[in-house]
Amino acid sequence: AQTVTQSQPEMSVQEAETVTLSCTYDTSENNYYLFWYKQPPSRQMILVIRQEAYKQQNATENRFSVNFQKAAKSFSLKISDSQLGDTAMYFCAFIAYSGGGADGLTFGKGTHLIIQP
Amino acid sequence: ETGVTQSPTHLIKTRGQQVTLRCSSQSGHNTVSWYQQALGQGPQFIFQYYREEENGRGNFPPRFSGLQFPNYSSELNVNALELDDSALYLCASSLALAGASDTQYFGPGTRLTVL
């Protein structure tokens, strides 16, 4: 069974600062996807960034980037130039590539990120 | 917005009742997954439907059941409601090709309260 651990229940930074959210996972699979999802107070889960395990290059989406360390089973999210709209719950999630993802996404418990003005 | 819609937004039921939640997938997506998110927790996988058949299930009892229709919309049915079923129910649609799963896009959720 896969597990995802987010060790920071809450983080708070000033606007324009850089913040890094941590995530570790455990799996015996070799092919899988990792995701960061954002859930603002309005509650709709929004995809932030995705990483395929077979890709060595870290994914980047504008101000969002990841540090993917496959051997360490670590997948952290870096948010640069943080904005007030980044305030949300952030969930790290895992899904195995094999089996068509029929086991569904496995989520961590989330990190509540607060951007202070 | 993801293009995934859910109805109703909120629902209040009493213990022992049955409930049906609905989800409309993003255009072009053939797979739908349902998740239960308890307050302050990450979502937990209930089951997944692909081409109108259940093809994966999490650790949920049989009183949680579902349907997927030819237009890829979906229903989640919960029988004999219990207080612990109170949660946000999320559906997510994706496009599965040749058995490989792709990114899941979530709807806004249905908040179910069981009294």
Side-chain angles (χ1 to χ4, degrees), chain A residues 38-46, chain B residues 1-4 90 106-109:
Chain A
K38 166 186 176 181
Q39 190 175 40
S42 65
R43 83 184 179 212
Q44 183 150 11
M45 195 83 73
I46 301 165
Chain B
E1 299 299 322
T2 63
V4 181
L90 299 168
F106 285 82

Side-chain angles (χ1 to χ4, degrees), chain A residues 37 39 43 50 100 102-103 105, chain B residues 35 37 55 99 102-104 108:
Chain A
Y37 282 93
Q39 190 175 40
R43 83 184 179 212
R50 151 183 155 155
D103 289 336
L105 287 161
Chain B
Y35 295 83
Q37 186 177 17
N55 77 330
D102 203 343
T103 301
Q104 296 185 21

Side-chain angles (χ1 to χ4, degrees), chain A:
Chain A
Q2 284 76 228
T3 59
V4 176
T5 303
Q6 294 180 249
S7 59
Q8 304 150 314
E10 185 170 288
M11 296 186 71
S12 180
V13 298
Q14 296 294 123
E15 194 175 5
E17 288 184 346
T18 294
V19 60
T20 299
L21 309 183
S22 64
C23 172
T24 57
Y25 59 94
D26 190 23
T27 183
S28 57
E29 299 279 349
N30 194 43
N31 296 317
Y32 49 87
Y33 295 115
L34 291 161
F35 303 88
W36 279 97
Y37 282 93
K38 166 186 176 181
Q39 190 175 40
S42 65
R43 83 184 179 212
Q44 183 150 11
M45 195 83 73
I46 301 165
L47 176 68
V48 175
I49 200 163
R50 151 183 155 155
Q51 175 80 43
E52 291 88 343
Y54 64 87
K55 290 187 177 179
Q56 293 187 340
Q57 187 173 5
N58 289 325
T60 300
E61 288 287 341
N62 300 313
R63 299 183 295 108
F64 300 87
S65 61
V66 298
N67 182 6
F68 173 48
Q69 301 289 328
K70 191 173 182 178
K73 295 180 181 174
S74 170
F75 183 61
S76 61
L77 174 70
K78 185 172 85 171
I79 305 174
S80 303
D81 186 27
S82 57
Q83 301 174 359
L84 296 178
D86 294 334
T87 294
M89 284 292 291
Y90 286 80
F91 292 98
C92 178
F94 167 102
I95 194 166
Y97 183 90
S98 60
D103 289 336
L105 287 161
T106 299
F107 284 86
K109 290 189 174 183
T111 295
H112 185 206
L113 176 64
I114 301 168
I115 309 300
Q116 305 276 8

